[in-house]
Amino acid sequence: MKEVACKRCLRIVPKGKDCPICKGKDMSENWKGFVVIINPEKSKIANILKRDLPGEYALKVSK
Ligand SMILES: [Zn+2]
């Protein structure tokens, strides 16, 4: 299934779904990079990206 990334918080979601994190509907098929955050409290990446919920995120989304 094609996946899209939320333009607001970069969460990756299956196409056709709303963002479960910020409830945004503004999705982009043009995203790059891929990061999985499992333990937000312990993850340096989560800290740098300011993602505090586990899940899959894009690193960059084209508007
Ligand atoms: Zn979002």
Side-chain angles (χ1 to χ4, degrees), residues 9-10 33-60:
C9 70
L10 305 184
F34 184 80
V35 61
V36 178
I37 293 170
I38 296 159
N39 263 319
E41 302 84 23
K42 293 175 189 165
S43 168
K44 282 182 185 164
I45 297 167
N47 221 310
I48 291 163
L49 298 176
K50 301 203 191 328
R51 309 279 173 246
D52 45 16
L53 287 167
E56 298 168 348
Y57 296 89
L59 286 178
K60 203 172 181 184

Side-chain angles (χ1 to χ4, degrees), residues 6-11 19-24 26-27:
C6 174
K7 285 185 184 174
R8 210 184 298 172
C9 70
L10 305 184
R11 175 75 179 215
C19 177
I21 309 293
C22 69
K23 311 294 177 198
D26 201 9
M27 304 298 181

